[in-house]
Amino acid sequence: MQPQDEMFMKRAIALARKGERFVSPNPMVGAVIVKEGRIIGEGWHRKFGGPHAEVDAIGRASESVEGATLYVSLEPCCHHGKTPPCVETLLAHRLRRVVIGSIDPNPRVHGRGAEALRRGGIEVVVGVLAEECRRLNARFFKFMETGLPFVTLKFAQTLDGRIATATGDARWISGAESRRFAHHLRAVHDAVLVGAGTVAADDPELTVRSVRGRNPLRVVADSGLRLPLQAKVFQDQHRAKTLVAATCGREPAKETQLAKMGVEVLPVAANGQGRVDLGDLFRQLGSRNVSSVLVEGGSWTITSVLRERLADRIVIIVAPKILGKGIDAVADLDIRRMVDALPLKFDAVRRRGGDIVIEARLA
């Protein structure tokens, strides 16, 4: 490894983040081309189905890339997908050296790209800022390694832990900047999940409106198909698709009506209380190539995700408000001893407007 390798890899990682709201289920990837100590080309994977970062950087290079070094945050692909293999492009342009941040966890690649470059006479260095590159694409790595979607649990609460007043009023706990951030989270996940109670109380659209980005698949856990057909999540299926997870106790007539509206009903297992088994739901979503899910609550959904330890990331927006009596963000987890409390590791604590945003994961 050369002294400047980490510096240029940091730049590749920064470029990769530019594609965050547009590339899933593909990973975010950035690339930098350096010749004689100068950056002559930069690129990133800009949208799903579009050119990969390496090809984008070569196409934007200010001069010939022959003999140059390419820094790329994820191993170049070596198989035909929506685009040709990047390895072939790199070999054709006669680069001298390729520095890779992380090996691709996709079984169709996973080391084969790096080996193909070596066989083609290119010097290859692997593992520069590997942990940072893995964190960059935590959602992609989890999905590729397990077949399960990466789950982010997000909720907004008052300082005393309430997500609504005693009457159910929740608009608005958080400020405008935090709500914009919530829309960003929707845009970077393949699906957004809420329970039937949240739909009944708030009638949300669950679309992306405050930032640029695509709408996620809307998933509603409604075990008995009791929600009214007029709910906003059932409208405008041309803008955002909705999937309703229901148990065997669902209503056939309602299912037929939803189907006519373009809403699919997905049969899932029931938990001990007869409600949707979220673990089974996530497994089925993974089998449908849903690589990430944003869970937005309310209390039953939040509690179920925590009780079953299904969250990979937890985002809590804490507003500077005190309600007193109200609806708890987290209900009973059946924890009776402090030693059994769910341990969290804080990854970041930030201010967004007047709110505090805590990003954490289960330790």
Side-chain angles (χ1 to χ4, degrees):
M1 188 172 72
Q2 298 178 3
Q4 69 272 25
D5 286 351
E6 288 193 358
M7 177 182 70
F8 289 124
M9 188 59 70
K10 286 180 181 179
R11 177 59 183 163
I13 292 171
L15 290 168
R17 293 189 186 281
K18 293 176 178 285
E20 187 175 30
R21 285 172 281 166
F22 309 101
V23 300
S24 185
N26 282 355
M28 295 175 280
V29 185
V32 177
I33 303 173
V34 177
K35 196 170 188 179
E36 298 175 351
R38 299 174 292 111
I39 294 178
I40 63 169
E42 293 184 334
W44 65 91
H45 186 30
R46 296 169 186 265
K47 65 178 181 179
F48 178 71
H52 289 185
E54 305 94 317
V55 175
D56 188 50
I58 290 172
R60 297 171 185 275
S62 58
E63 59 185 86
S64 170
V65 301
E66 183 175 349
T69 296
L70 170 76
Y71 294 86
V72 60
S73 56
L74 190 70
E75 179 184 12
C77 65
C78 55
H79 64 283
H80 284 271
K82 289 186 175 294
T83 61
C86 292
V87 163
E88 294 182 2
T89 302
L90 301 183
L91 291 171
H93 282 83
R94 302 173 64 84
L95 282 103
R96 181 183 65 83
R97 185 169 179 259
V98 173
V99 180
I100 298 169
S102 175
I103 291 294
D104 192 332
N106 187 336
R108 300 176 69 186
V109 186
H110 200 62
R112 294 182 180 90
E115 183 55 33
L117 292 173
R118 290 191 180 102
R119 288 198 306 267
I122 294 177
E123 178 189 347
V124 178
V125 177
V126 176
V128 176
L129 299 184
E131 187 57 35
E132 289 88 336
C133 291
R134 183 182 175 91
R135 284 201 301 269
L136 171 72
N137 283 302
R139 296 186 290 272
F140 177 73
F141 273 81
K142 162 85 180 290
F143 181 63
M144 281 295 160
E145 292 172 351
T146 68
L148 296 171
F150 184 96
V151 176
T152 299
L153 173 63
K154 187 275 296 181
F155 55 92
Q157 65 171 44
T158 60
L159 191 60
D160 53 344
R162 309 290 187 258
I163 59 171
T165 67
T167 63
D169 182 23
R171 295 189 177 181
W172 293 103
I173 288 177
S174 58
E177 192 168 334
S178 294
R179 295 198 297 274
R180 194 176 306 113
F181 172 60
H183 280 254
H184 167 82
L185 288 175
R186 288 179 185 173
V188 302
H189 286 78
D190 291 345
V192 56
L193 167 69
V194 296
T198 296
V199 175
D202 300 336
D203 198 17
E205 293 182 43
L206 300 181
T207 54
V208 175
R209 299 183 300 279
S210 299
V211 299
R212 288 182 59 233
R214 58 175 192 165
N215 288 319
L217 170 70
R218 301 179 291 193
V219 182
V220 179
D222 182 11
S223 56
L225 293 185
R226 295 181 177 84
L227 288 172
L229 297 175
Q230 295 74 30
K232 290 178 181 177
V233 291
F234 298 148
Q235 314 306 315
D236 300 328
Q237 293 300 301
H238 63 284
R239 292 179 55 230
K241 298 298 293 182
T242 299
L243 181 73
V244 181
T247 64
C248 58
R250 59 191 187 275
E251 299 178 14
K254 177 71 76 64
E255 189 169 340
T256 300
Q257 291 175 301
L258 288 169
K260 290 179 180 179
M261 298 171 66
V263 177
E264 181 184 0
V265 176
L266 177 68
V268 298
N271 63 14
Q273 292 76 46
R275 306 181 78 165
V276 168
D277 184 316
L278 294 181
D280 182 54
L281 173 57
F282 291 149
R283 285 189 289 272
Q284 293 203 50
L285 290 175
S287 70
R288 290 168 171 247
N289 209 35
V290 173
S291 66
S292 58
V293 178
L294 174 67
V295 179
E296 291 201 0
S299 184
W300 172 80
T301 312
I302 294 169
T303 304
S304 298
V305 168
L306 290 174
R307 182 185 294 117
E308 301 300 323
R309 289 165 170 75
L310 297 172
D312 298 289
R313 178 190 181 201
I314 301 173
V315 178
I316 306 173
I317 300 170
V318 182
K321 300 173 183 177
I322 292 176
L323 273 181
K325 186 178 180 181
I327 298 175
D328 292 334
V330 183
D332 186 12
L333 292 174
D334 197 29
I335 294 173
R336 299 296 177 259
R337 300 185 306 161
M338 185 58 68
V339 71
D340 297 323
L342 298 184
L344 299 181
K345 180 175 181 179
F346 286 5
D347 287 330
V349 179
R350 300 184 177 93
R351 290 283 298 271
R352 288 191 179 273
D355 303 327
I356 295 174
V357 178
I358 300 170
E359 298 184 31
R361 50 195 162 90
L362 287 171

